[in-house]
Amino acid sequence: MRVDDSCADANSFWLTAVEKESIRDALIDICYEPTGGRDYIHLIRMTAYQKFPARLLKKLESLKDDDASYCVFENLPIDDTFGSPQGDANSLNFKSGYLSENVLVALGSLIAEPYSIKHEGPKLVNDLVPHPEAVGEYTGNGSDLELDLHTENAFQAYDSRGDTSPLALLLLGVRGDPAGVGPKTWVADAREALQVLEQADIEILYGKHFIIRQPYRWRNSAAGAKETHVYPILSGPLTHPRVTAAFYPDMVIAADHEAQNTLLRFYNALKSVARPLDIQPGKLVYINNRFMLHSRDKFTPSFDPEGHAYRWIQRLFITNNLWNFRSFNKCGARIFEPVTR
């Protein structure tokens, strides 16, 4: 097992067996608070600062830098599993404790502020498990459809109440198929893709030429989407851009033929630089949502003899500031529900 990361891939961080056990010991007895109460977040942060390996703390601190695109943390401790939840079921009914939730919240809260949107999941940590009734949905619970490259909640970057899209998301493998098969998660750095585009295409991406639609679950909420305005795909400096785009169907509509062609060239460039990741149990992926796009392959889920899906990923959203959610309803300390404007 690697100890010195000085020569390792900057996007990969391996924990030693000793470090893994130290994290387990630090977090295993903390009671997960699913609404993200202030006392819980404070306890998680203080415990992590006091007991986590110094080099892990240093790595998490570095992820606050704009240049950090994604990072894969390997060999994290998780619970023993004996099933997977459907709907809003308590994860404790299917594993030995709340260790995986605490691991996610600990790493996330040392980078920024954890939160959840109610219709994405009523708990701070969201369970992404294939649901038989959701196979055809463009959500983390679907499977028949590819979730093509996208920045998470792209439209929310232009919310008139403030930017309510995630700064980043964290994905942790909790359970996997014993056969070792599963869909790949892909990550694509828009900065690399932009290097192969012509200046004319970049100028169009910076222009207001695109209708960006709300994610599917947001459309069914009380938020009352207003999607007739045109927005840019890119903002900010080219070396450190903010990207707002989603390439699965009915998400971004180009205002004219020229913009549509540019969008297609941008998509092809992103696909050419995309990297596959296999999120197995104990692996956590941090994805910078400012300029990193991600996707998930379509797949056929497998189930255990009790009918529980083997694939179980947990997700956490983080943001720089909870202030932008001030006009949302609060369903707990860090669970927010959009309301009609």
Side-chain angles (χ1 to χ4, degrees):
M1 187 65 66
R2 260 175 254 192
V3 177
D4 182 6
D5 281 335
S6 59
C7 297
D9 181 352
N11 298 117
S12 182
F13 188 97
W14 288 79
L15 289 128
T16 67
V18 171
E19 289 171 332
K20 175 181 179 179
E21 291 311 306
S22 70
I23 293 171
R24 182 191 302 275
D25 292 344
L27 298 178
I28 196 167
D29 292 328
I30 294 179
C31 184
Y32 169 59
E33 207 288 279
T35 67
R38 182 176 297 175
D39 289 345
Y40 169 67
I41 298 296
H42 175 72
L43 177 58
I44 285 283
R45 281 184 173 136
M46 290 301 296
T47 301
Y49 278 125
Q50 292 170 0
K51 298 184 178 181
F52 275 20
R55 70 186 192 96
L56 175 58
L57 295 175
K58 183 178 179 181
K59 181 64 177 180
L60 294 171
E61 187 69 24
S62 76
L63 294 180
K64 298 177 181 181
D65 190 290
D66 287 347
D67 285 331
S69 54
Y70 75 99
C71 187
V72 180
F73 294 87
E74 301 273 8
N75 200 35
L76 283 162
I78 56 171
D79 311 276
D80 296 326
T81 61
F82 41 84
S84 59
Q86 293 287 320
D88 300 332
N90 190 336
S91 66
L92 192 59
N93 295 332
F94 305 96
K95 56 191 183 75
S96 57
Y98 287 128
L99 180 58
S100 62
E101 285 88 350
N102 288 340
V103 165
L104 267 171
V105 175
L107 270 65
S109 67
L110 294 184
I111 303 168
E113 298 294 339
Y115 76 96
S116 182
I117 299 297
K118 185 180 179 182
H119 55 255
E120 298 277 5
K123 299 183 284 290
L124 185 61
V125 172
N126 309 147
D127 293 306
L128 306 182
V129 177
H131 290 185
E133 69 278 10
V135 292
E137 294 181 1
Y138 285 101
T139 70
N141 299 125
S143 54
D144 278 0
L145 301 174
E146 177 189 10
L147 287 179
D148 213 338
L149 290 168
H150 62 285
T151 51
E152 196 74 26
N153 295 346
F155 175 82
Q156 299 312 122
Y158 297 111
D159 194 322
S160 60
R161 297 163 292 190
D163 183 354
T164 54
S165 65
L167 161 71
L169 60 153
L170 289 77
L171 302 170
L172 175 62
V174 178
R175 192 185 193 211
D177 192 311
V181 298
K184 292 291 190 296
T185 297
W186 295 77
V187 291
D189 191 329
R191 299 171 302 179
E192 296 178 13
L194 291 170
Q195 291 178 9
V196 304
L197 293 185
E198 299 292 337
Q199 182 62 31
D201 284 332
I202 292 174
E203 290 176 1
I204 289 175
L205 293 173
Y206 270 111
K208 293 183 178 181
H209 302 295
F210 306 93
I211 295 173
I212 302 173
R213 301 202 65 200
Q214 286 193 334
Y216 291 91
R217 282 178 172 166
W218 286 75
R219 298 178 200 180
N220 297 324
S221 74
K226 296 180 176 63
E227 297 163 344
T228 58
H229 300 292
V230 287
Y231 298 100
I233 295 294
L234 301 180
S235 59
L238 188 60
T239 54
H240 297 83
R242 180 67 186 275
V243 181
T244 51
F247 289 98
Y248 46 94
D250 199 29
M251 290 299 296
V252 176
I253 302 170
D256 54 47
H257 186 66
E258 186 179 22
Q260 179 60 42
N261 287 339
T262 289
L263 191 64
L264 179 59
R265 285 190 286 269
F266 183 40
Y267 172 74
N268 289 334
L270 287 164
K271 294 287 279 189
S272 72
V273 301
R275 300 172 174 86
L277 302 172
D278 187 10
I279 306 180
Q280 291 294 327
K283 176 183 288 188
L284 183 149
V285 180
Y286 161 90
I287 302 172
N288 186 331
N289 199 50
R290 298 182 186 99
F291 49 77
M292 289 294 291
L293 292 87
H294 65 284
S295 69
R296 188 220 64 216
D297 292 339
K298 64 180 180 180
F299 66 106
T300 301
S302 56
F303 298 86
D304 64 22
E306 286 72 40
H308 301 139
Y310 279 116
R311 177 177 167 85
W312 183 0
I313 304 291
Q314 289 187 321
R315 177 184 65 195
L316 181 70
F317 293 138
I318 58 175
T319 183
N320 274 332
N321 196 330
L322 298 176
W323 174 250
N324 285 345
F325 298 97
R326 61 193 179 278
S327 61
F328 287 31
N329 287 334
K330 291 183 72 173
C331 307
R334 290 169 180 259
I335 315 297
F336 301 101
E337 180 181 27
V339 294
T340 303
R341 283 170 280 186

